[in-house]
Amino acid sequence: MKNIIILIALCLGSHIFAQSDEDILKQIYKSALVEGKSYSWLETLSIDIGGRLSGSLNAERAVEWGKAELDSLGLDKVWLQPVMVPKWVRGAKEFAYIKASSGETTNVNICALGGSVSTNPLGLTAKVIEVKDFEELKRLGEAEVKGKIVFYNRPMQPDLINTFEAYGGCVDQRYMGAVEAAKYGAAGVIVRSMTLSLDDMPHAGSMTYGDLQVSDRIPSAAISTKDANLLSSMLHLDKNLEFYFKQNCKQLKDVKSYNVIGEITGSQFPNDYIIVGGHLDSWDLGDGSHDDGAGIVQSMEVLRLFKTLKIKPKHSIRVVMFMNEENGLRGATEYAKVATTNGENHIMSLESDSGGFTPRGFSFDCSDATFNKVLSWKPLFKPYLIHYFEKGGSGADVGPLKNDTNVTAGLRPDSQRYFDHHHSASDTFDAVNKRELELGAASMASLVYLFDKHGI
Amino acid sequence: MKNIIILIALCLGSHIFAQSDEDILKQIYKSALVEGKSYSWLETLSIDIGGRLSGSLNAERAVEWGKAELDSLGLDKVWLQPVMVPKWVRGAKEFAYIKASSGETTNVNICALGGSVSTNPLGLTAKVIEVKDFEELKRLGEAEVKGKIVFYNRPMQPDLINTFEAYGGCVDQRYMGAVEAAKYGAAGVIVRSMTLSLDDMPHAGSMTYGDLQVSDRIPSAAISTKDANLLSSMLHLDKNLEFYFKQNCKQLKDVKSYNVIGEITGSQFPNDYIIVGGHLDSWDLGDGSHDDGAGIVQSMEVLRLFKTLKIKPKHSIRVVMFMNEENGLRGATEYAKVATTNGENHIMSLESDSGGFTPRGFSFDCSDATFNKVLSWKPLFKPYLIHYFEKGGSGADVGPLKNDTNVTAGLRPDSQRYFDHHHSASDTFDAVNKRELELGAASMASLVYLFDKHGI
């Protein structure tokens, strides 16, 4: 009798092993679309928790939530990995207006950039010099810039199909604007929000002071694209208008936070790791649904799918919720450091941090040989309309894990709407479509499954 | 001197002719994204005009608007093509509730289906029999169905990646539900709305009575998916509950309407036609932005792009705004009839009627040889992330133009969000993203350009 049971078990077992890649991918997509948890997870993270800037209480609530959810998935290991993170606080809401020479004022929608110093408590008033780039700033020099507010107003380029390229072509204004303007004695910096849409919302984001001394640091803020257009056209009419803004932000001491990690331990190569992840922190103006709540819940869904479909990976599969991508990358740095210390061999690291939109494919940082192997899997994704397999660009959080053997990769969702929401008050749960989110999770799980099964 | 001018002109001319397909496509996409008119056109059509059911005053306003806009484009010809269309009117807003055996009532969101008769003026109250398909209905037969309201509740299948397939798998309930239920003496029909989302809105659409005599026609309506789930679960608890609904719709006499047509006449083959089109009519619950305002303004944009970029087509290029796709297809039928009468040779007919979402590619009804030619252009679309080139399925309005030589084609946008809006109160302008709409228009213009230049 015992032998018969073993025989039956073997038959069932071989039946499972006999399933084709096509079959498994079909099951993955079906489960994600029919019984997936990513959308309801995102609802909790976005609505119940909300924006979760590094070092904030909400970020800690997100850590607790993430760990509890992973605990419920029946993984082999779940733990918190401590990491010190910067704690920048916005303080009371910012306020700004344009003051024409006539004295007439027009309110402006503004937000302090992450890492900026505050204005003095009464705010900053100064004339405005508009520039398109650092070259123009340099040409104008101290004579035109000193004592003024530098207004960076180079828009994102609408004819670039990939909106991340358009972002990449402008974000120097936001990130480096203060450092550059301070060279010429500017009193402050305002920057056109990084979005292709004409909207009324300032879009936040990080900035740096480089190695500027504390006394030389000038306040730096973003204004909405509509207000940027308004200010620019008013400047044409009234060169002597003044801009006023007041912000109350502050850089506090670093605080302790955590990466949240869960693992299904590999059956054959437990010390070879495939990770999927996103970042748990977000900016504070919206609830961080697309950036990067989506990546978090899709990564969780990958492990749920493995458990639900009883896929037993050969390599260890980890979900990593990185802390502090937005303004420090401390979580990613720490994760990579610990991995090195522990001698963990990462073979594939997949990040989702481009929004929860319809997935179009993946991008890879890897050798040509590996990439060709990946391309051989492309036909498996055709039924799911996943066609984009390109080299170049994975993601910020998997960056510190790059080496000669680890394949780093990024999910590439449709990018058209991403910057409508990015870092703004409209990055909210209602802007995420359930099916689009789920298709992304299924695509990630499929890629992980293929890497695990066929190796590189 | 004259010769020199001619020489210069020839050089400039040859420079223009020397432009590669890559260059032209780049210009097309750039113009659509930077200075395109599709989005502002759609704003007018959606917000200023709104829903435009065939035969309604709003449909006539849309005709006037369409003609005026085409007149402003400097085309070679613009005209109205008369066509008689059905005029079905919804009348006063529908009303419905579930009445439990205990007498307790729960309101339900309902809308009459296009073409349905009204209930009697006091409304219809009857017990409910829930079915998943016509097979189940047949099994139950007259014994279980007679005098009851048949409730079709088969949901769209969420694990189908192309949501149009999921729609195709369910829409028989809406279109044929009354005919089938009437066979067994049903008093009326309610159908679960055709959407994958769980929402509170009824989604309209057309239905038929086939050859049922007028006296045998039973009222037919859609209820929201949330209310369908509610009704189904209440039926499990209370088989004897009753459903009440009252609707005031009416089929009036046919009225005169128009297809709106504009043409750039071909320089070499003026009697060979390439057409781009969508349908100008819409359902009445929303403003018809995705279905099919998007297709209308994208088709207009194709001709604007040709004019703006000074592309002089060899074949005649027409934009056709078809009237009455939703409940009759009379415009498309008339257009094809007139084309045949006039001996117009249509070589390619491209329709956009799947929403204004990010374009993924095209589908084609054509011979294998033609399709292989089309596939040779695929690399030109790669920079624009247009990858889907498949045979099968073009569109309803180009259907009557099908023959052995005409290539009929459909734009294939991302389909994930389409049925969230389709035929409902949420098919509104705010649900359309500017860039996604523009990318669709540019993709259509590019395909038309390639067909015109390289022929088939």
Side-chain angles (χ1 to χ4, degrees), chain B residues 110-262:
Chain B
I110 196 166
C111 73
L113 291 177
S116 175
V117 296
S118 64
T119 57
N120 83 45
L122 294 177
L124 167 67
T125 308
K127 288 190 178 166
V128 177
I129 181 86
E130 177 179 344
V131 298
K132 286 284 188 288
D133 53 36
F134 298 150
E135 276 306 306
E136 189 178 357
L137 183 75
K138 192 175 171 184
R139 270 201 307 281
L140 292 168
E142 206 173 303
E144 289 290 336
V145 171
K146 196 176 170 83
K148 290 186 186 157
I149 291 171
V150 172
F151 167 36
Y152 292 103
N153 193 28
R154 185 165 86 259
M156 281 171 66
Q157 209 180 312
D159 56 326
L160 294 172
I161 305 303
N162 178 347
T163 61
F164 284 86
E165 262 186 65
Y167 179 68
C170 278
V171 72
D172 62 331
Q173 302 173 95
R174 189 194 77 205
Y175 192 67
M176 298 291 296
V179 171
E180 293 298 319
K183 286 183 187 168
Y184 309 104
V189 157
I190 50 179
V191 58
R192 180 188 185 91
S193 283
M194 300 290 130
T195 177
L196 284 152
S197 67
L198 214 49
D199 67 35
D200 268 330
M201 299 171 298
H203 292 236
S206 62
M207 53 77 63
T208 184
Y209 288 116
D211 47 17
L212 270 187
Q213 289 192 318
V214 173
S215 57
D216 293 338
R217 295 178 183 181
I218 56 177
S220 184
I223 63 176
S224 76
T225 47
K226 276 192 180 175
D227 283 334
N229 285 359
L230 177 74
L231 176 58
S232 181
S233 58
M234 286 175 87
L235 273 172
H236 277 285
L237 299 171
D238 179 359
K239 242 187 94 165
N240 291 312
L241 63 74
E242 290 182 315
F243 192 87
Y244 167 85
F245 71 115
K246 179 175 177 316
Q247 57 192 32
N248 315 281
C249 42
K250 223 185 283 195
Q251 191 78 47
L252 304 176
K253 268 198 262 182
D254 288 1
V255 298
K256 194 175 183 180
S257 187
Y258 303 91
N259 294 324
V260 184
I261 309 174

Side-chain angles (χ1 to χ4, degrees), chain A residues 186-199:
Chain A
V189 159
I190 51 178
V191 59
R192 180 189 185 90
S193 282
M194 300 292 131
T195 177
L196 284 152
S197 67
L198 213 50
D199 68 34

